[in-house]
């Protein structure tokens, strides 16, 4: 049962990292720092105060930059690697998946976070084009909120986190279809 819970938690955290890399990293690091989570080495470095400070500063810069049209697209290009790497780290950091080979857990986290980020990065330019960038701050705030919600659920209610991740992906797919349909009828 611990393996299943660990896998679900890892999936949820990886998916959250695909939306915003710093939120789940910061949350996991803080919870490990205060003894709520136990992270295996070398992932216990996430609880180091200097690492937490670095993640916090980068997260704040990303939080602000992601609300600005144009800057957000540049961040999404860089985020393709950063978010996927954060997802890989978060997936592998979970002690409940110790039975899963480290290379496999890193690969799974990379794929999950990368897939979520790719979906996010595909929807954002369409929203920018159709709203002149006015929807970007709202979309960014929704992504941040979803990342925080998925992160908390992944730690405390992993089954709900995976269901939430599926919901986020379904919502993104429907939004993509709706926006694409509007563009096709206006052409």
């Amino acid at each position: 049962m611990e393996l299943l819970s660990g896998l679900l938690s890892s999936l949820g955290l990886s998916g959250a990292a695909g939306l915003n890399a710093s939120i789940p990293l910061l949350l996991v690091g803080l919870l490990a720092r205060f003894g709520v989570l136990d992270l295996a080495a070398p992932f216990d470095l996430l609880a180091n105060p200097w690492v937490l400070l670095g993640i916090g500063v980068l997260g704040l810069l990303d939080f602000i930059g992601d609300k600005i049209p144009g800057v957000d697209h540049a961040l999404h290009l860089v985020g393709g690697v950063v978010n996927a790497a954060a997802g890989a780290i978060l997936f592998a950091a979970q002690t409940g998946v110790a039975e899963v080979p480290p290379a496999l857990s890193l690969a799974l986290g990379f794929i999950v976070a990368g897939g979520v980020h790719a979906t996010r990065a595909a929807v954002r330019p369409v929203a920018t084009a159709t709203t002149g960038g006015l929807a970007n701050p709202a979309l960014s705030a929704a992504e941040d909120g979803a990342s925080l919600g998925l992160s908390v659920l992944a730690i405390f209610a992993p089954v709900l986190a995976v269901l939430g991740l599926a919901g986020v992906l379904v919502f993104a797919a429907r939004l993509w279809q709706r926006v694409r349909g509007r563009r096709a009828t206006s052409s």
Side-chain angles (χ1 to χ4, degrees):
M1 188 65 171
E2 186 177 330
L3 176 63
L4 179 61
S5 177
L7 285 171
L8 294 176
S9 180
S10 296
L11 285 170
L13 287 169
S14 296
L19 293 169
N20 183 317
S22 59
I23 290 174
L25 285 172
L26 194 58
L27 182 64
V28 166
L30 286 170
L31 290 175
R33 177 99 182 129
F34 294 113
V36 177
L37 283 179
D38 184 33
L39 298 176
F43 305 107
D44 57 347
L45 284 173
L46 288 173
N48 180 293
W50 292 107
V51 172
L52 288 169
L53 180 64
I55 293 169
V57 168
L58 291 174
L60 180 62
L61 293 173
D62 179 66
F63 180 81
I64 294 167
D66 198 38
K67 309 297 186 274
I68 303 167
V71 174
D72 63 341
H73 296 303
L75 288 172
H76 288 176
L77 287 174
V78 173
V81 175
V82 172
N83 291 42
I89 290 167
L90 288 162
F91 198 105
Q94 297 304 297
T95 56
V97 294
E99 294 83 7
V100 177
L104 178 59
S105 63
L106 286 168
L108 289 172
F110 191 88
I111 290 167
V112 170
V116 170
H117 181 76
T119 303
R120 169 189 181 209
V123 169
R124 185 66 74 90
V126 175
T128 300
T130 58
T131 67
L134 296 175
N136 290 22
L139 277 174
S140 177
E143 293 162 357
D144 295 341
S147 180
L148 178 61
L150 283 174
S151 298
V152 170
L153 287 174
I155 294 166
F156 299 110
V159 172
L160 293 178
V162 171
L163 292 174
L165 179 59
V168 166
L169 293 175
V170 167
F171 176 76
R174 287 187 177 164
L175 180 63
W176 172 260
Q177 289 173 341
R178 183 178 305 151
V179 170
R180 220 172 102 204
R182 284 185 194 160
R183 287 180 65 196
T185 59
S186 65
S187 296

